[in-house]
């Protein structure tokens, strides 16, 4: 029995989860700025990874991150969805200001992922519902109502169905359409089932190889595209192994509260570090093909709700003419 | 800490899983007849629960069961899919003979479940692809080619979208259209993730309240419909809690093979009966809302494949004129 | 050349078009009551065919008819769509009162037509978007909020895909679920292309054999179902032959305005009665297979818009708790 | 009344229809080579416009054209569909040879049009069903089975939903993915309703501004993309005005056969040149908004059938390893 876990990386696309893993129990990390606000069931974390040390410790890139966490979002509550869309629009507006995106800049929205795989369809679903305006600026320059900026939107597909890296497709489109900034939407993998379709992450770090659920081999970043890339992601799947591990942790915590003598109950296993235990679980499940990515049964509805929230939030945040204090009316 | 597990029932819709739980390690159960055959990656179990005692021990009704288990089915191998469709057609023909369904009998296929929930859409997807012929017998009696029988097919929807029990809708349609036998297709919950979209169960016991993933409140049985009801089911979801429990079991088995001294490793927890441990896991996960039904990320493709297999298998098994030695050509 | 047109019936499912054909130029028909109102681009006609004579002359059944005609509806104007939904809700409420439907009566909405044929999918699309409540009255009697009534909704499919007459399916469901009234939604054929997806007809005459675009062989009426049947229909297709004939008429009218000497311009053909000419066009086109039912290129969007209007209108009209002065918010 | 028809262009995207308009009754056109073959209900015309004079006379570009015409194709006959796919594959292989496309050349398939508009969805539907292989050549060069070539496929969307000219998107993708040849699939407008979804045109002239039903403003040609562009088109819509005009023509022809004295029957109108009459019809219909593009009611099924034919034909024609004598098995 040999468990060398030294270089083991827990797989999460969420900076907030990565921070919590790096500093369990809310410990301080030098070089990390973070603040939390909460309003009516919508929890917002704004975070900045400021130093290479913090970046290495957390395992995420230097940059700005905003995470909206709405535990009640999967309940199908239309009022809450409207409030989340509004909160998302306001956070996104603030984010654009913070990272220096000009209010009139030309925006290309890129919806990554695969239409035909429901939990990977976030990007295409958002693209389907955002309001594009760039064609009016091209065809009738000077005649567009004030309060709008040029917005275009594409869903480049995935390599398995196009035969071409999605990053190449996007790079080609960027070269021809010359946006000032790219907003890339992607479905993510999270560590815990309760984050699925309840969390939205905004980051100015672009999309990196291996992130998201579609196993990209190349990223979408300022380096590859020549313009800033803002990523919006929502976890829609988790690994079976992380469900198992997190659940074991919950069981152990539960039983610790009911006994004074924990060791005999769980033995060495109960005393393992979380990452050691996860590694063990993966070692067992993977060879058997049991370490699938899974998603909740109700994923179709969850995807539709969150894609509408992001699309209506983007419409409000990108166009001044769309009132961002009540964004719900602008999508269907 | 109080775990009364005496009446606890493990949740599986599969008779084969229930048998294995009732007699772990392949022990004999009086009143149960069972045989296994295997051909090219397709494992077939034919089982008959013959006595009330066996029924009670296993927790499934007296009746005939056939289970096709194809571990490789999720790999998208078109040749294997064709062979499974052929095997399913042949098993289903044999099953109809065994339970006494006349080759010319008028068949109503009922696709239970919800179109808009991918893992619950098995029934509607099969109904969409079966060949219906009853209208020709009604409109042009005496002119239908030999080798066909009257087949009709409906997808009654679910109570949440129709406002009516699906069993009431089916009962009304049965009264008006007078089939000799009902074949009901439904998505099921299984205990283990690897059964999802790899297993097909045929049973002559009908559909019972609480079975399937749509939480039916009333069943479809000979008692409620007045005609025999043959059920075809495919597991498409599992409870997060059973993934956790099964995975723990795998971890424990794995570690037992690597140590002589198991008890200190896992303590009391490792020594629990499986059902006690599952109960504990559920007790912990449910109040936190973590005991979701989950499904693999690739569920869209898996559903399409298995629905095509069942539809083409039914077309071949129900109509002599459709060659059941190669059924693949008959669906798209 | 032999044109006996004496018994020729022009094919339209709209009572208003049939009236205009029976009394061209707005002539009086004894036994027909009719009034027209107009508000902001929404033209409403309320009509009652009161006598067998009027019924025979018009070729439509004795009963109440309301027709909403909105020429601008295909322009995708969201504000207009909201106003039409509101107008439809108010007209439908008034219609229910006029024909004596009790405000608390139990309603079954039946969406006729075929999901997979876009211009025939009106019924299923409306059913998908109406709010069903009957299950709450069944499962929690006495606990439903005031202002709601029991509403259920089914889409029975078409005979070609189920093998069963849709009227039989509906009759079976009515027997089991016992509604007080049935509201049947169906796509219609109109005479003129500009009515397609711009007109909504409400009638208390039920659905009759041969009406709608799906060629029903049996109707849905009080006689067949035992409860009153209110029909809501929208023309979504026209026959190529009526396009041709109507266009010829426009051409003739146009040219008459530009010449004093019409006869030499069009000869005998120009002087034919409209129905003679239509018969001639049909005689020529049908043997060549040219008399297709056609629909506008943009039918997908048009169907979505009108189905939303009807669904949100029904939600407002059927439930007092839904404010019928602004119904747009209740659908997506 | 003033009809200046001198510069009037009849709108058809089919070279064969344009030729028939330029030389009614099968007259010779210098500089045009043409041959017709027929096999089992599949009519094939191979045509070459060789001189600028012929090009101007016909109104189509110099180049090679192949037209498959299958009048029975809309009947849903699976055997005929298989034969058409095979014939298309063979014609397309021959076409590639004739226009000098190397058997190993790297191919990019571009599916023009709009997913959400059924009659405009031909391109995206074909792209969805072709087999892409370029990724294997990129990721595992030297390991791809013989008999395959690199094929990639994209559906760039339409300007109304992306905000970017589809020609710009394609040009960007071509620059990055470096295909040797582009095959562009597009839905077309035809003159006559019976061509809708029964005709396939192949041409080596690329896609030109204003062709197809999506009103492109820029083309996809060797000039704009830097590589040869082969266009595959299927008429899916017709203008109401051409239906009217063609039907009038049929009526006139029909009546001429039944009378010796035509002039009094139709007057001046009957004696007009076809294009004069069409112009008149358009002049009357357009201001009234009656000159819609229309499509048959059954367009959903028709699109699925023809998209499958083209996709399976392309798979067979592009990959030697796919047997082009029976291509039906390769799509679903």
């Amino acid at each position: 029995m040999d468990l060398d876990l030294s270089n083991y990386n827990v797989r999460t696309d969420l900076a907030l989860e990565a921070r919590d893993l790096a500093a369990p129990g809310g410990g301080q990390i030098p070089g990390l700025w973070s603040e939390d606000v909460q309003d009516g069931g919508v929890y917002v974390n704004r975070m900045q990874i400021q130093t290479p040390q913090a970046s290495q410790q957390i395992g995420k890139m230097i940059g700005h991150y905003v995470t909206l966490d709405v535990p009640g979002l999967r309940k199908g509550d239309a009022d809450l969805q409207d409030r989340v869309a509004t909160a998302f629009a306001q956070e996104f507006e603030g984010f654009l200001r913070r990272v220096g995106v000009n209010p009139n800049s030309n925006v290309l929205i890129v919806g990554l992922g695969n239409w035909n795989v429901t939990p990977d369809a976030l990007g295409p679903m958002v693209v389907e519902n955002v309001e594009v305006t760039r064609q009016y600026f091209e065809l009738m320059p000077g005649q567009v109502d004030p309060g709008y900026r040029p917005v275009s939107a594409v869903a480049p597909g995935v390599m398995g169905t196009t035969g071409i890296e999605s990053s190449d497709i996007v790079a080609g489109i960027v070269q021809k359409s010359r946006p000032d900034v790219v907003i890339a939407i992607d479905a993510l993998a999270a560590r815990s089932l309760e984050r699925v379709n309840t969390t939205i992450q905004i980051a100015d770090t672009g999309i990196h190889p291996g992130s998201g659920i579609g196993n990209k081999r190349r990223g979408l970043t300022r380096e590859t595209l020549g313009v800033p890339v803002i990523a919006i992601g929502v976890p829609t799947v988790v690994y079976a192994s992380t469900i198992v591990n997190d659940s074991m942790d919950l069981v152990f915590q539960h039983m610790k509260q009911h006994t004074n003598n924990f060791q005999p109950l769980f033995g060495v296993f109960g005393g393992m570090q979380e990452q050691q235990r996860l590694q063990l679980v993966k070692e067992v499940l993977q060879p058997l093909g049991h370490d699938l990515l899974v998603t909740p049964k109700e994923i179709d509805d969850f995807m539709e709700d969150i894609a509408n929230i992001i699309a209506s939030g983007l419409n409000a945040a990108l166009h001044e003419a769309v009132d961002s204090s009540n964004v719900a009316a602008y999508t269907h």
Side-chain angles (χ1 to χ4, degrees), chain A:
Chain A
M1 225 180 112
D2 172 45
L3 292 179
D4 176 7
L5 302 168
S6 49
N7 288 313
Y8 188 74
N9 262 313
V10 173
R11 171 83 157 80
T12 174
D13 291 319
L14 294 177
L16 201 59
E17 284 190 344
R19 183 201 65 177
D20 291 345
L21 285 166
Q28 284 295 311
I29 296 175
L32 178 82
W33 171 86
S34 174
E35 71 175 6
D36 293 276
V37 296
Q38 189 268 336
D39 183 21
V42 182
Y43 297 78
V44 177
N45 171 271
R46 306 184 191 111
M47 194 163 102
Q48 190 181 359
I49 299 180
Q50 297 166 321
T51 63
Q53 291 74 21
S55 167
Q56 198 174 358
Q57 191 177 349
I58 296 170
K60 294 288 164 191
M61 299 190 68
I62 289 180
H64 296 80
Y65 298 85
V66 168
T67 310
L68 288 91
D69 188 16
V70 191
L73 198 49
R74 291 197 304 230
K75 285 180 189 146
D77 173 344
D79 282 345
L80 179 59
Q81 289 169 22
D82 289 354
R83 283 190 291 116
V84 176
T86 302
F88 172 74
Q90 289 165 348
E91 287 297 325
F92 196 76
E93 275 184 32
F95 190 89
L96 291 182
R97 267 196 310 275
R98 255 189 332 273
V99 302
V101 172
N102 186 302
N104 298 316
S105 57
N106 186 324
V107 170
L108 170 62
I109 298 173
V110 173
L112 298 168
N114 187 343
W115 254 124
N116 300 313
V117 174
T118 304
D120 194 23
L122 179 70
M125 289 172 84
V126 170
V127 161
E128 182 89 357
N129 284 301
V130 289
E131 206 174 327
V132 299
T133 52
R134 181 181 174 278
Q135 71 272 35
Y136 306 121
F137 288 84
E138 294 286 306
L139 303 179
M140 307 174 293
Q143 297 178 46
V144 185
D145 286 346
Y148 291 93
R149 69 162 102 201
V151 172
S152 52
V154 295
V158 295
M159 199 180 194
T161 62
T162 63
I164 308 173
E165 291 273 0
S166 51
S167 56
D168 281 345
I169 292 180
V170 175
I173 295 170
V174 165
Q175 274 186 22
K176 288 285 169 185
S177 67
R178 297 266 160 231
D180 301 312
V181 60
V182 163
I183 298 174
I185 324 281
D186 200 9
L188 307 178
R191 268 178 60 87
S192 61
L193 206 43
E194 71 265 34
R195 286 224 180 260
V196 169
N197 291 66
T198 62
T199 295
I200 305 173
Q201 175 176 277
I202 307 166
D204 65 350
T205 56
I207 300 278
H208 293 276
S211 71
I213 71 180
N215 288 324
K216 279 155 279 301
R217 294 187 326 114
R218 290 190 214 147
L220 295 182
T221 61
R222 184 193 283 263
E223 287 68 40
T224 61
L225 299 184
V227 296
V229 178
I230 295 170
I232 299 175
V234 173
T236 63
V237 293
V238 286
Y239 281 96
S241 55
T242 64
I243 297 180
V244 170
N245 193 62
D246 288 2
S247 300
M248 284 181 175
D249 207 52
L250 289 168
V251 169
F252 295 163
Q253 284 170 29
H254 173 88
M255 295 191 77
K256 275 184 196 168
Q257 294 168 356
H258 293 82
T259 178
N260 293 324
N261 194 0
F262 181 68
Q263 210 279 335
L265 273 175
F266 293 100
V268 172
F269 190 64
M272 277 184 180
Q273 292 293 316
E274 187 176 4
Q275 298 218 356
Q276 278 182 305
R277 210 172 50 227
L278 176 58
Q279 177 71 345
L280 173 62
V281 169
K282 277 178 174 288
E283 275 192 4
V284 173
L285 296 186
Q286 275 173 354
L288 301 171
H290 289 204
D291 194 14
L292 294 174
L293 279 166
V294 299
T295 195
K297 187 194 77 167
E298 302 84 354
I299 187 66
D300 302 82
D301 279 350
F302 294 166
M303 292 304 292
E304 200 174 307
D305 290 345
I306 200 108
N308 275 331
I309 285 169
I310 292 177
S312 52
L314 283 177
N315 289 341
L318 294 177
H319 302 296
E320 272 179 59
V322 178
D323 178 3
S324 62
S325 71
N326 182 353
V327 306
Y330 295 87
T331 48
H332 43 109

